[in-house]
Amino acid sequence: MNGTLPSGGTFGGGQLALAATDQQYVNLPSYVLSNYAAVTVELWATFPDQLPSACFLFGFGNKSGSQGVNYIFCQPQNGRIAITASNYTGEQNADAYADFSYQTNLHVTAVFNPPMGYLALYTNGILAAINQSVITPFSSVNDVFSYIGRSLYSADSYFDVDLDEVRIYDGALTPDAIAATQ
């Protein structure tokens, strides 16, 4: 499946640069995660500036008015991933309390594995956060909208980011596989 750049982006040096001032993001096809019981999103990114507190590194879900619903996401200013069957009030999180601002070539791996009851966030191949009490099924994620560099919430900010590579896996990568990709 191919993504699009509705507001543009700049390719150079093997990376895609997305600029906040132009509200640039990657738009992936709807339902890219359909039929998955678990998923791993892995990427290498450079965050050249201070990240806004309200932004999504990636978001796969739906919208109800100005709010995101039925989604998974990564919030890079706090190093947090979540899944919800509703909106922010129902999020189940794995929170590393780590700001990705000013990080160069940061390897971020988000594992969403509700069948095994957990979410796990890795940075540079090392476990940064885990929630082992997840009860929201992945079937609750309704990925009508699939974004890299954009939030499902209309009031959230865009940010500058350079993406080296993005991978989406059907299933949960193991810690050894994550360390090997690092």
Side-chain angles (χ1 to χ4, degrees):
M1 295 186 192
N2 294 317
T4 61
L5 300 169
S7 301
T10 304
F11 288 98
Q15 294 186 326
L16 169 64
L18 302 175
T21 56
D22 294 328
Q23 297 185 339
Q24 294 176 335
Y25 64 98
V26 177
N27 186 31
L28 297 173
S30 298
Y31 308 111
V32 69
L33 305 179
S34 64
N35 301 319
Y36 291 0
V39 69
T40 302
V41 179
E42 181 178 50
L43 55 85
W44 288 262
T46 294
F47 303 93
D49 302 314
Q50 177 63 48
L51 289 160
S53 60
C55 66
F56 282 20
L57 177 54
F58 63 80
F60 299 88
N62 205 347
K63 299 177 189 179
S64 177
S66 63
Q67 291 192 12
V69 293
N70 306 94
Y71 58 80
I72 61 170
F73 84 106
C74 177
Q75 197 270 346
Q77 205 271 341
N78 289 325
R80 179 170 72 97
I81 61 172
I83 186 171
T84 184
S86 59
N87 60 17
Y88 68 93
T89 62
E91 288 177 2
Q92 294 185 290
N93 302 288
D95 198 334
Y97 303 101
D99 188 350
F100 296 171
S101 298
Y102 306 108
Q103 297 294 312
T104 300
N105 200 29
L106 182 67
H107 178 210
V108 178
T109 308
V111 179
F112 299 88
N113 194 353
M116 299 305 292
Y118 76 91
L119 306 177
L121 176 65
Y122 294 79
T123 55
N124 293 331
I126 299 169
L127 182 64
I130 191 164
N131 176 344
Q132 295 177 310
S133 302
V134 174
I135 58 171
T136 302
F138 203 82
S139 60
S140 69
V141 175
N142 185 14
D143 62 323
V144 173
F145 302 97
S146 301
Y147 300 139
I148 308 291
R150 179 180 178 180
S151 178
L152 295 167
Y153 287 81
S154 61
D156 285 359
S157 300
Y158 291 84
F159 55 95
D160 293 335
V161 63
D162 297 331
L163 297 169
D164 187 44
E165 189 168 343
V166 177
R167 299 175 184 174
I168 300 171
Y169 299 92
D170 178 2
L173 287 185
T174 65
D176 289 341
I178 293 165
T181 61
Q182 170 57 27

